[in-house]
Structure formats: structure tokens, C-alpha cells
Amino acid sequence: LTHFGLTANGPDGQAIRRKLAETFLRPVRWKDYCDNFTPDYCEEGDEVALRAPETEEEEMQYFLSGSFYGKFNATAENDCDANPETCTGHIINVECTWTTYVIPQAHHLNIPVSSSGPDVAGGYPHLRIVEIIDAAVYNKADFLLYWFTPDAKVQSYIGTEAEFQRVLLPPPTQKCADARLTEEQRCSADPMNWIGDVDGSCDAE
């Protein structure tokens, strides 16, 4: 699978943008689910949350087997009717201190996705990403993420209906490697610094 099917270019660009926005929804934290999707803050429980979170750590979780099975929701970021030029599907990106080039890759390759995590640039902590994956697999929800191989999480789904599918970006070159973002740029408070140079938007080395 290559990135070309995800690129919002040409006459089909808006249709592709809408498809990604409708397919890749945002994960919902346990606390936010109880606050916004139940009438009693999960006091009675339902098929998604059997109970309310009991600690601050649980409030932040996206999945806890036997207690909270996760939910994915279309937010204003996914709304292509209200925001036809800026709506995005969700991609799970790591924290900016990790070596990640998701933002420049999405921007320069015109792939309309963005990450909505708590990190300054929208990334998620590793533990939260694992929970989001578990929630997506449990709910059979489509998800897109930046990840790495070899990894036990990826390998655990090989041969199942949830086996990961790699999306191939333009092949890495030395020119691209030399143009990559620095950690200072990735973690900048100025979103313009997250985009970087088009030459640095290739696939991982």
C-alpha cells in the first residue's frame, strides 16, 4: 500500500480528504466518554464503560480490558461539511521527543491526517498508543499510526484480521535524511516549525 491513495491531490482530492476524515476517527479517553456520552458519568455502566474511572490514571486511559473498551468519535476536526478545506482523519503520532516525521510527511505529501494527543505537537505517550491500538482492535475500528518494526505489538497481530498494513512513502535518500526535522523543531511551540522542508518528507530510513 503506497501513500498515493491517501494523497488529496487532483480532481479526487476532496473525496479522498473526506474518506480519510470519515474513516480515521479520534479516540476518546475514559473520562471524556463518561462525561460526554453517558447521562450519569458511567454510574450504571454500559457496553463501552462498565464503570467510571476510579483514579486519575484511569481517567486518561483509552482502553482497560474488563472495564473500558474504548470509543472512536468524529470531532470537529473530522467534519468536512463545516471544514471542507481543513478536515482531517486521525493519525496516531508519538511524542515529539521521539524521532517522528509524521507532520512534515503529511503536510508535504498532502495526506490530510493529524494527531490529536496531549503532546505539544499532538502526539501520544507510548502507553496511551498501545491502549488506542487495543481499543481499535477490540472495536474493529480503522486506525492509522506512526510505529516501528520489529515490535512485539505489531507481531502479535500477524496472521489475524487486525494484521498491520504498512503505508509506503517516497523512499529515503541521503538528501532527505539531511533535511529532517530536529527535536527542537518537532517540540517547538510554533506549529510552523513542525512542518520542515519538503526534502525531509520521505519514508523512514
Side-chain angles (χ1 to χ4, degrees), residues 91-94 100-107 113-115 145-146:
I91 184 169
I92 307 163
N93 195 12
V94 295
T100 171
Y101 308 109
V102 163
I103 295 176
Q105 288 165 338
H107 177 82
V113 294
S114 60
S115 187
L145 82 161
Y146 169 86

Side-chain angles (χ1 to χ4, degrees), residues 144-198:
L144 190 64
L145 82 161
Y146 169 86
W147 210 234
F148 48 89
T149 56
D151 174 69
K153 195 68 176 176
V154 175
Q155 293 174 328
S156 69
Y157 292 116
I158 292 176
T160 74
E161 62 180 10
E163 183 171 348
F164 289 24
Q165 172 68 59
R166 182 178 180 182
V167 177
L168 298 174
L169 303 181
T173 62
Q174 188 59 52
K175 181 180 180 181
C176 179
D178 293 341
R180 294 293 205 191
L181 290 178
T182 64
E183 181 177 324
E184 181 180 2
Q185 290 173 298
R186 294 195 305 269
C187 295
S188 171
D190 182 356
M192 293 303 297
N193 289 330
W194 307 340
I195 296 172
D197 192 279
V198 63

Side-chain angles (χ1 to χ4, degrees), residues 82-95:
N83 309 294
E85 302 299 325
T86 58
C87 60
T88 60
H90 182 251
I91 184 169
I92 307 163
N93 195 12
V94 295
E95 293 176 303

Side-chain angles (χ1 to χ4, degrees), residues 10-197:
D12 296 326
Q14 279 303 113
I16 292 172
R17 176 181 289 275
R18 180 176 289 273
K19 180 66 173 178
L20 292 179
E22 292 175 349
T23 300
F24 300 113
L25 307 182
R26 264 75 190 175
V28 177
R29 298 183 309 170
W30 194 348
K31 181 182 187 302
D32 295 333
Y33 176 78
C34 293
D35 274 334
N36 300 316
F37 295 93
T38 70
D40 58 0
Y41 195 71
C42 298
E43 183 176 338
E44 291 190 12
D46 58 22
E47 68 279 2
V48 176
L50 278 66
R51 59 174 176 82
E54 297 174 349
T55 65
E56 289 186 2
E57 171 64 18
E58 287 189 346
E59 290 180 348
M60 303 294 290
Q61 289 184 274
Y62 293 91
F63 183 89
L64 180 63
S65 183
S67 297
F68 179 59
Y69 291 105
K71 180 177 176 61
F72 293 82
N73 185 51
T75 68
E77 295 168 283
N78 299 80
D79 189 349
C80 292
D81 292 327
N83 309 294
E85 302 299 325
T86 58
C87 60
T88 60
H90 182 251
I91 184 169
I92 307 163
N93 195 12
V94 295
E95 293 176 303
C96 66
T97 52
W98 287 44
T99 303
T100 171
Y101 308 109
V102 163
I103 295 176
Q105 288 165 338
H107 177 82
H108 293 298
L109 298 175
N110 200 17
I111 302 172
V113 294
S114 60
S115 187
S116 300
D119 180 66
V120 63
Y124 295 85
H126 178 267
L127 180 59
R128 301 285 91 95
I129 293 176
V130 171
E131 293 167 1
I132 296 170
I133 293 172
D134 287 338
V137 171
Y138 180 86
N139 290 284
K140 297 185 178 181
D142 294 306
F143 65 98
L144 190 64
L145 82 161
Y146 169 86
W147 210 234
F148 48 89
T149 56
D151 174 69
K153 195 68 176 176
V154 175
Q155 293 174 328
S156 69
Y157 292 116
I158 292 176
T160 74
E161 62 180 10
E163 183 171 348
F164 289 24
Q165 172 68 59
R166 182 178 180 182
V167 177
L168 298 174
L169 303 181
T173 62
Q174 188 59 52
K175 181 180 180 181
C176 179
D178 293 341
R180 294 293 205 191
L181 290 178
T182 64
E183 181 177 324
E184 181 180 2
Q185 290 173 298
R186 294 195 305 269
C187 295
S188 171
D190 182 356
M192 293 303 297
N193 289 330
W194 307 340
I195 296 172
D197 192 279

